[in-house]
């Protein structure tokens, strides 16, 4: 099977990494996607030895570390489009650290979500923010390329006013025109934007490098009313070979139930 399933680690709050990886493997996932804020406030606080431990732990359980998401949640005060060049510079330097961290873990994908840290600062202008964001990524892409990491712009309607839609994400990718800056489909976002999931996949296809599987109710795939069958069908049609990663925002059912029910559902719709 070409398509691989992963799960984002933040639902395993309070678990030892070893226990979370063991459980993820046991359920049957092939990969894990890491939210850096779950490991430390800043990745600069994570020494190489600890990075190697995480990487080796994943290897021990036969899990691939897909990459990173929720990139700029911590440390506080980061912002990607702000007119304040000192904040932008600090954010860029931190992003460089994230790229190195991703490489150290063996990850290949970084999801550029972080809606709050990219939304327009009140009074700012969309096209001016757009140009700043382009310059921001242009500076980072040589390092991403050197480290074999692809940055995936994630459309986030309802959560941000900067690149809220898949069309905007694709426009951004095309304007930057660099192999290490691509896009992805997040199921709840595509539905929130009013797209059919197969249309979202077809639209993103030339630049599609990652997928987040979830429901508009913020639970796992199959844990609400969103039918992911059209997503699965369209991904197969384009011969997608990346990860479909379960990403959940409501942790209340507990990590065990979320991880198990989500994978059972994915296996059914992707069968
Ligand atoms: C936010 O809703 C989201 O989908 C995450 O992937 C943000 O990094
Ligand atoms: Mn997402």
């Amino acid at each position: 099977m070409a398509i691989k399933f992963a799960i984002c680690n933040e639902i395993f709050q309070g678990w030892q990494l070893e226990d979370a990886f063991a459980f993820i493997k046991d359920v049957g996932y092939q990969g894990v996607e890491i939210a850096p804020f779950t490991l430390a406030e800043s990745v600069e606080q994570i020494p190489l030895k600890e990075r190697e431990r995480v990487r080796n732990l994943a290897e021990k359980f036969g899990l691939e570390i897909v990459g990173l998401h929720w990139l700029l949640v911590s440390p506080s005060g980061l912002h990607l489009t702000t007119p304040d060049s000192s904040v932008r510079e600090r954010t860029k330097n931190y992003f460089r650290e994230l790229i190195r961290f991703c490489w150290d873990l063996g990850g290949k994908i970084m999801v550029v979500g972080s809606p709050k840290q990219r939304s327009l600062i009140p009074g700012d202008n969309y096209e001016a923010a757009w140009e700043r964001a382009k310059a921001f990524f242009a500076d980072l892409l040589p390092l991403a390329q050197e480290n074999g990491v692809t940055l995936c712009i994630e459309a986030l309607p309802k959560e941000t006013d900067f690149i809220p839609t898949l069309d905007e994400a694709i426009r951004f990718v095309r304007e930057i025109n660099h192999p290490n800056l691509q896009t992805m489909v997040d199921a709840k976002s595509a539905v929130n934007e009013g797209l059919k999931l197969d249309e979202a996949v077809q639209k993103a296809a030339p630049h599609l490098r990652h997928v987040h599987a979830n429901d508009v109710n913020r639970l796992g795939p199959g844990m609400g009313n969103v039918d992911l069958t059209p997503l699965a069908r369209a991904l197969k049609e384009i011969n997608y070979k990346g990860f479909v990663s379960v990403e959940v925002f409501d942790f209340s059912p507990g990590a065990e139930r979320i991880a198990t029910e989500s994978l059972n559902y994915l296996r059914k719709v992707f069968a």
Side-chain angles (χ1 to χ4, degrees), residues 138-160:
D139 285 350
L140 292 172
L141 284 165
L143 183 69
Q145 188 158 30
E146 256 169 57
N147 287 277
V149 169
T150 302
L151 313 183
C152 296
I153 305 288
E154 183 182 42
L156 293 168
K158 294 195 174 169
E159 294 174 76
T160 183

Side-chain angles (χ1 to χ4, degrees), residues 77-148:
L78 300 174
H79 204 280
L80 206 147
T81 62
T82 174
D84 183 336
S85 59
S86 66
V87 172
R88 246 170 30 241
E89 216 37 53
R90 186 156 72 82
T91 305
K92 204 192 294 169
N93 286 332
Y94 188 64
F95 216 111
R96 289 196 175 95
E97 294 302 323
L98 286 167
I99 292 171
R100 295 189 184 103
F101 179 68
C102 190
W103 160 265
D104 286 339
L105 296 191
K108 299 198 163 34
I109 295 288
M110 284 171 62
V111 174
V112 183
S114 302
K116 291 199 171 60
Q117 293 79 19
R118 77 187 207 212
S119 287
L120 298 190
I121 300 287
D124 196 12
N125 152 295
Y126 192 91
E127 283 306 314
W130 180 271
E131 291 307 318
R132 282 182 223 115
K134 272 175 73 177
F136 182 96
F137 287 110
D139 285 350
L140 292 172
L141 284 165
L143 183 69
Q145 188 158 30
E146 256 169 57
N147 287 277

Side-chain angles (χ1 to χ4, degrees), residues 1-125:
M1 187 178 67
I3 293 171
K4 298 177 280 187
F5 299 124
I7 190 159
C8 295
N9 82 312
E10 62 273 19
I11 62 165
F12 295 91
Q13 289 170 307
W15 290 48
Q16 293 295 318
L17 212 52
E18 173 137 24
D19 298 334
F21 283 7
F23 186 77
I24 291 168
K25 178 63 186 181
D26 212 40
V27 175
Y29 289 95
Q30 289 131 302
V32 60
E33 185 173 326
I34 305 284
F37 76 84
T38 62
L39 302 182
E41 152 132 328
S42 159
V43 294
E44 289 166 295
Q45 297 160 347
I46 308 176
L48 189 57
K49 253 192 141 30
E50 175 60 13
R51 299 176 185 204
E52 281 166 357
R53 187 186 77 89
V54 175
R55 188 185 172 130
N56 291 337
L57 214 49
E59 250 166 49
K60 172 177 147 189
F61 290 108
L63 288 173
E64 253 184 81
I65 294 192
V66 181
L68 311 176
H69 68 297
W70 281 128
L71 303 175
L72 303 176
V73 169
S74 73
S76 65
L78 300 174
H79 204 280
L80 206 147
T81 62
T82 174
D84 183 336
S85 59
S86 66
V87 172
R88 246 170 30 241
E89 216 37 53
R90 186 156 72 82
T91 305
K92 204 192 294 169
N93 286 332
Y94 188 64
F95 216 111
R96 289 196 175 95
E97 294 302 323
L98 286 167
I99 292 171
R100 295 189 184 103
F101 179 68
C102 190
W103 160 265
D104 286 339
L105 296 191
K108 299 198 163 34
I109 295 288
M110 284 171 62
V111 174
V112 183
S114 302
K116 291 199 171 60
Q117 293 79 19
R118 77 187 207 212
S119 287
L120 298 190
I121 300 287
D124 196 12
N125 152 295

Side-chain angles (χ1 to χ4, degrees), residues 187 197 213-214 221-222 226-233 244 265-266 269-270:
L197 287 169
N214 41 31
V226 175
D227 178 8
L228 294 195
T229 312
L231 178 91
R233 196 180 48 235
V244 171
Y265 178 78
L266 288 177
V269 294
F270 278 85

Side-chain angles (χ1 to χ4, degrees), residues 154 184 186 188 212 214 247 249:
E154 183 182 42
M184 59 171 292
D186 172 284
K188 63 118 176 44
H212 276 163
N214 41 31
E247 185 194 33
F249 309 95

